[in-house]
Coordinates of all heavy atoms in Angstrom, one line a residue:
V15 N -63.7 -94.3 -59.5 CA -65.0 -93.9 -60.1 C -65.0 -93.9 -61.6 O -65.9 -94.5 -62.3 CB -65.5 -92.5 -59.6 CG1 -66.7 -92.0 -60.3 CG2 -65.8 -92.6 -58.1
A16 N -63.9 -93.3 -62.2 CA -63.8 -93.2 -63.6 C -63.8 -94.6 -64.3 O -64.4 -94.8 -65.3 CB -62.6 -92.5 -64.0
M18 N -65.3 -97.3 -63.2 CA -66.6 -98.0 -63.1 C -67.7 -97.2 -63.8 O -68.7 -97.7 -64.2 CB -67.0 -98.1 -61.6 CG -66.1 -99.0 -60.8 SD -66.5 -98.9 -59.1 CE -67.9 -100.0 -59.0
D19 N -67.5 -95.9 -64.1 CA -68.4 -95.0 -64.6 C -68.5 -95.1 -66.2 O -68.0 -94.3 -66.9 CB -68.0 -93.5 -64.2 CG -69.0 -92.5 -64.7 OD1 -70.2 -92.9 -65.1 OD2 -68.7 -91.3 -64.7
A20 N -69.3 -96.1 -66.6 CA -69.4 -96.4 -68.0 C -70.0 -95.2 -68.9 O -69.5 -95.0 -70.0 CB -70.2 -97.6 -68.3
D21 N -70.9 -94.5 -68.3 CA -71.5 -93.4 -69.1 C -70.8 -92.0 -68.9 O -71.2 -91.0 -69.4 CB -73.0 -93.3 -68.9 CG -73.4 -92.9 -67.5 OD1 -72.5 -92.6 -66.6 OD2 -74.6 -92.9 -67.2
R22 N -69.7 -92.0 -68.1 CA -68.9 -90.9 -67.8 C -69.7 -89.6 -67.3 O -69.4 -88.5 -67.6 CB -68.1 -90.4 -69.1 CG -67.3 -91.5 -69.7 CD -66.2 -91.9 -68.8 NE -65.4 -93.0 -69.4 CZ -65.0 -94.1 -68.8 NH1 -65.5 -94.3 -67.6 NH2 -64.3 -95.0 -69.4
D23 N -70.6 -89.9 -66.4 CA -71.4 -88.8 -65.8 C -70.8 -88.4 -64.4 O -71.4 -87.6 -63.7 CB -72.9 -89.1 -65.7 CG -73.2 -90.2 -64.8 OD1 -72.3 -90.9 -64.2 OD2 -74.4 -90.5 -64.5
G24 N -69.7 -89.0 -64.0 CA -69.0 -88.7 -62.8 C -69.5 -89.4 -61.5 O -69.2 -89.1 -60.4
R25 N -70.4 -90.3 -61.7 CA -71.0 -91.1 -60.6 C -71.2 -92.5 -61.1 O -71.3 -92.8 -62.3 CB -72.2 -90.4 -60.1 CG -73.3 -90.2 -61.1 CD -74.3 -89.2 -60.7 NE -75.4 -89.2 -61.7 CZ -76.5 -88.6 -61.5 NH1 -76.9 -88.1 -60.4 NH2 -77.4 -88.6 -62.5
V26 N -71.4 -93.4 -60.1 CA -71.6 -94.8 -60.5 C -73.0 -95.2 -60.1 O -73.5 -95.1 -59.0 CB -70.6 -95.7 -59.7 CG1 -70.8 -97.1 -59.9 CG2 -69.2 -95.3 -60.0
S27 N -73.8 -95.7 -61.1 CA -75.1 -96.1 -61.0 C -75.1 -97.6 -60.5 O -74.1 -98.3 -60.5 CB -75.9 -96.1 -62.3 OG -75.4 -97.0 -63.2
E30 N -74.0 -99.9 -63.3 CA -72.5 -99.8 -63.5 C -71.8 -100.6 -62.4 O -70.8 -101.3 -62.7 CB -72.1 -98.3 -63.5 CG -72.5 -97.6 -64.8 CD -72.3 -96.1 -64.7 OE1 -72.4 -95.5 -63.6 OE2 -72.1 -95.5 -65.7
G85 N -79.2 -92.8 -55.2 CA -79.2 -93.8 -56.3 C -77.9 -93.9 -57.1 O -77.8 -94.6 -58.1
Y86 N -76.8 -93.2 -56.6 CA -75.5 -93.3 -57.2 C -74.5 -93.3 -56.2 O -74.7 -92.9 -55.0 CB -75.3 -92.0 -58.1 CG -76.3 -91.9 -59.3 CD1 -77.5 -91.2 -59.1 CD2 -76.0 -92.5 -60.5 CE1 -78.3 -91.2 -60.2 CE2 -76.8 -92.4 -61.5 CZ -78.0 -91.7 -61.4 OH -78.9 -91.7 -62.4
L87 N -73.3 -93.8 -56.5 CA -72.1 -93.8 -55.6 C -71.1 -92.8 -56.2 O -70.8 -92.8 -57.3 CB -71.5 -95.1 -55.5 CG -72.4 -96.3 -55.0 CD1 -71.6 -97.6 -54.9 CD2 -72.9 -95.9 -53.6

Side-chain angles (χ1 to χ4, degrees):
V15 169
M18 296 174 78
D19 183 16
D21 65 7
R22 305 291 180 234
D23 66 355
R25 57 194 184 167
V26 177
S27 68
E30 289 168 330
Y86 296 91
L87 299 180

